[in-house]
Each structure stands twice: as structure tokens, then as C-alpha cells.
Amino acid sequence: RERWGLPADAPIVLYTGTFEAYQGLELLIEAAARLQTTHPHARVLVVGGEPGQVEAATGVARAHGAGNVVFTGQQPAREIPAFVALAAILASPRIRGTNTPLKIYSYLRSGTPIVATNLLTHTQVLSPEVARLVAPEAAPFAAALAELLDDPAAGRALATAAQALSDARYSRDVYLTRTAEACRRLAAARDGASAPPATETAAR
């Protein structure tokens, strides 16, 4: 918090990732500007981006009057857990795409509520039971952030459900079990394909 000028008691909305257009950074910045009017003490911390991208995004934030957005630029992967630990809410404002962001899996097990856009890129993994899903627009995104900041109990319920989903479907143990089962099936299929037909075996 000291490094990035974040007040000790300011609730943090965190975004981590690249600044590609599909990530929805401008949507997040517009949402931050709206959040600033209702929750002026909150901060939106944006981790990632090349220097030129950060400079451009800073200009967008300035144009929207979003003085509550703090840009860190790219940070070492080993430091990302420390940023996540600061957060009251984890944000994924993607505006298009079909692949699930890898960070969603770490967000699920973080114990922190998630706000994400209600698009296939998220809903392949996320549901209303484990995250607050909203239309890919600034107003509903800001409203979801404000709602969870005002209702920590609701956020804890989402985060608890998200952790349970992670444990049940996306944990390391589940991954290893599924991988072992896939290998077993491939081996069985290979052995079956290499064995001669029963009639041919009998003829021999």
C-alpha cells in the first residue's frame, strides 16, 4: 500500500493482466469513475501493461475523471499473490472472447469475491453462485462493485462458494486425477487397437 500510495483503509478493486483491447480496461476505468462518486475512498488497482499502454490508459482515466485508478505497470509473477491479498474485490472486465482467463482459476481459490462480465469467456467456469456476473458495460459493472463493497457478507458468500468450486473441479489433486484417468484411457485404447481381432487370434 505504501509503495503505490494506497490509503491503509481503502478498499481495493484489483485487475491483473494484459492491456489488450478485449480485456475491457476502458470499461473498468469508466466503472471506476462511476464508483468514485459513490465510494470515493475505494481504489482500483491495475497491475500489468507495457509502459506505453500504461501511459495511454492513464490518459483515458484522466479523461474520465477517474482519479481513483492506480497503475503499477508490469510486476513480477511472484508478487501477484501480494496484490491479490490486498484486494476486496477481483475484477475481470473482458468485453469479448471465448477462452477462460487463466487468472480466473487463481481468483476462485483466493477467498476474494469476483466481479466479471457475463460472457462466455467467463461463464464456462463462473456462475452467479460463485461470482457477480454483469453485462459488459460500465454502469452495471460499477453497480456490482459498489454492491459488494457495501455488503461484505454477500462477498464472503461468493468467495466461499468459489473456493468450494475450485477445490471440487480445479484443484491440483483433481487435475492429477483427471490426467491419470486420461492416460489410462489412452493406454487402454492403444492396447485395444494393437491387439489382433479375436477371430484372427483363434485362427492362429
Side-chain angles (χ1 to χ4, degrees):
R1 285 178 179 268
E2 291 177 3
R3 181 178 180 185
W4 302 108
L6 303 169
D9 57 348
I12 306 300
V13 176
L14 178 69
Y15 168 85
T16 62
T18 69
F19 279 34
E20 300 303 320
Y22 63 83
Q23 297 280 27
L25 265 294
E26 186 160 357
L27 183 157
L28 180 62
I29 290 170
E30 291 181 27
R34 291 173 178 268
L35 186 67
Q36 186 173 245
T37 65
T38 60
H39 296 73
H41 200 47
R43 297 291 183 272
V44 177
L45 186 61
V46 178
V47 179
E50 301 284 350
Q53 294 173 319
V54 171
E55 182 178 359
T58 300
V60 173
R62 189 180 303 115
H64 284 287
N68 56 345
V69 181
V70 177
F71 297 96
T72 73
Q74 290 183 336
Q75 299 298 314
R78 66 180 180 275
E79 294 188 12
I80 299 303
F83 286 105
V84 172
L86 285 178
I89 299 173
L90 301 170
S92 188
R94 280 197 178 193
I95 55 175
R96 61 177 179 271
T98 56
N99 64 304
T100 300
L102 288 178
K103 64 189 173 192
I104 291 299
Y105 299 102
S106 60
Y107 281 8
L108 282 172
R109 61 178 180 265
S110 69
T112 303
I114 302 165
V115 173
T117 47
N118 190 17
L119 299 174
L120 182 61
T121 186
H122 291 128
T123 57
Q124 293 172 110
V125 171
L126 302 179
S127 69
E129 288 73 35
V130 302
R132 191 58 46 88
L133 299 172
V134 298
E137 300 168 3
F141 207 93
L145 296 175
E147 182 179 346
L148 290 182
L149 289 176
D150 289 339
D151 189 355
R156 286 193 297 272
L158 288 174
T160 298
Q163 287 179 313
L165 174 65
S166 178
D167 290 343
R169 298 188 62 182
Y170 305 114
S171 69
R172 183 175 184 274
D173 287 344
V174 170
Y175 169 78
L176 292 175
T177 298
R178 289 179 175 174
T179 301
E181 176 63 16
C183 290
R184 186 193 66 77
R185 291 183 180 182
L186 286 172
R190 178 201 61 201
D191 293 343
S194 61
T199 53
E200 182 179 342
T201 302
R204 289 177 181 174

